[in-house]
Amino acid sequence: MADSDSFAAGATFVDGDYVPIGRAAVSVLYWGFTKSDVTYDVVHVWRGAFFRLDDHLARFARSMAALRMTIPHDAGQQARILAGCVQRAGLADAYVAMVATRGVPLFGMPRRPSLMTNRYIAYAIPWIDVIPVPVQERGAHLIVASTPRIPSESVDPTVRNYHWGDLVQAMFEAEAAGADNAVLLDRDGHVTEGPGFNVFAVRDGVVLSPDRGALEGVTRQTVIDICAELGLELRIGPMTRADLYEADEIFTSTTAGGVMPAARIDGRILSNDRPGPVSRRIRETYWAWHEEGRHLTPVAGLV
Ligand code: PLP
């Protein structure tokens, strides 16, 4: 385990300087910290190259615009800063985050978010799988959480955010049930997403994904692209708990792990308690696209 005071444990860009992740400090008064007034994005680096970097930067820009935040770095500069974090950490496989926080109200200033100077932070840390690889290979055991997803009208899930109270509760529910992770419904009973991933079902060879209540995941988009290339029928529409219970297969998707098959939902066994054939094919294709160099942007000076 790398010493967290060294760059090997991760590198952060904060207030214009690169520092080891264990030494990075931000104000305790940041609204990003006290009010979740923050947006972020995460891109992965795989064997020394970013995957779909432009899509992550574009979504980050949309999220900042939605929250009326501006930062002093354009997309090209951000790409260089993110690469700078990865290079300093020397990580061939990394979880790379970019964060914009509202900032802090200056002393004597009216308490208006529009007057605050937004802050930008970036960091690279070793690769994270939100569902561990052995669990992905066995097929995750999921539950449908009783905690509903926070309403989209209150917190727009397409704008990446730190409002994780419901998602964290759902993780506790999964743990209490002896499961690996959870899927949340909205208050009308529609499937949304899970703590850090989008959700798909497969029924009679058709791939289904919810049309609401979820982040428009970059990995989800890759799954959509893979379905088009493999000639798999895809339907994006409202989904309920019944669609999960009646599915032949379920899988989840995220930058922090890729395409992650499930084998159980609320104790019901899917595809012989193993990742199903369609999920496996999509997962294999996802990694094959990496091997083929699709959507990759190499980080100079690595591998
Ligand atoms: N949904 C939530 C709540 C997430 O936090 C994430 C990613 O971490 C996703 C979905 C998947 O998005 P992406 O594929 O862009 O990583």
Side-chain angles (χ1 to χ4, degrees):
M1 201 19 107
D3 169 3
S4 67
D5 278 358
S6 79
F7 273 122
T12 315
F13 177 87
V14 56
D15 292 332
D17 279 327
Y18 292 96
V19 286
I21 192 87
R23 290 183 180 264
V26 295
S27 170
V28 294
L29 300 177
Y30 271 1
W31 276 25
F33 182 53
T34 60
K35 305 189 187 336
S36 298
D37 193 357
V38 64
T39 189
Y40 74 114
D41 218 292
V42 174
V43 55
H44 71 218
V45 167
W46 177 87
R47 296 192 190 161
F50 289 109
F51 184 66
R52 298 194 82 142
L53 176 61
D54 292 346
D55 294 308
H56 288 281
L57 289 170
R59 185 174 62 186
F60 185 50
R62 289 197 300 277
S63 294
M64 286 191 290
L67 297 184
R68 304 183 211 198
M69 288 188 190
T70 49
I71 56 167
H73 313 292
D74 64 22
Q77 290 166 332
Q78 288 174 56
R80 282 191 288 283
I81 292 168
L82 297 174
C85 291
V86 178
Q87 287 158 344
R88 279 166 182 78
L91 291 167
D93 299 306
Y95 173 106
V96 184
M98 56 206 97
V99 183
T101 96
R102 182 73 58 202
V104 261
L106 287 184
F107 184 70
M109 238 194 203
R111 199 176 156 82
R112 270 193 229 138
S114 60
L115 297 176
M116 290 159 60
T117 302
N118 308 145
R119 310 303 287 261
Y120 172 79
I121 302 155
Y123 59 89
I125 53 175
W127 181 276
I128 292 176
D129 287 289
V130 298
I131 295 181
V133 173
V135 175
Q136 296 179 26
E137 282 167 0
R138 173 259 264 158
H141 300 170
L142 302 176
I143 60 157
V144 177
S146 66
T147 308
R149 188 82 175 99
I150 194 169
S152 297
E153 299 78 11
S154 304
V155 176
D156 180 350
T158 68
V159 176
R160 288 199 75 162
N161 62 74
Y162 281 1
H163 296 268
W164 268 55
D166 51 354
L167 300 173
V168 172
Q169 279 308 314
M171 291 168 87
F172 274 109
E173 284 189 47
E175 196 181 332
D180 300 306
N181 223 313
V183 174
L184 288 87
L185 307 179
D186 68 15
R187 289 175 311 159
D188 300 321
H190 293 113
V191 175
T192 63
E193 58 189 340
F197 52 79
N198 288 111
V199 179
F200 293 82
V202 183
R203 189 158 185 208
D204 299 329
V206 179
V207 179
L208 312 168
S209 188
D211 62 350
R212 64 193 69 192
L215 182 71
E216 290 167 352
V218 172
T219 320
R220 176 177 180 267
Q221 183 58 50
T222 308
V223 170
I224 293 170
D225 298 345
I226 289 172
C227 287
E229 190 160 299
L230 297 182
L232 293 168
E233 192 181 332
L234 172 87
R235 262 185 241 150
I236 295 179
M239 281 174 65
T240 63
R241 182 194 295 265
D243 290 305
L244 298 179
Y245 286 1
E246 289 159 16
D248 301 319
E249 304 178 29
I250 294 175
F251 64 91
T252 59
S253 72
T254 179
T255 294
V259 175
M260 309 175 299
R264 295 186 194 178
I265 180 79
D266 279 344
R268 289 165 174 75
I269 293 185
L270 305 156
S271 43
N272 289 328
D273 215 9
R274 283 274 166 265
V278 175
S279 313
R280 274 190 280 125
R281 195 160 167 228
I282 293 173
R283 181 170 186 249
E284 279 157 20
T285 308
Y286 178 79
W287 292 113
W289 282 18
H290 283 68
E291 300 269 0
E292 288 162 20
R294 293 215 209 174
H295 302 297
L296 293 186
T297 309
V299 181
L302 284 177
V303 189

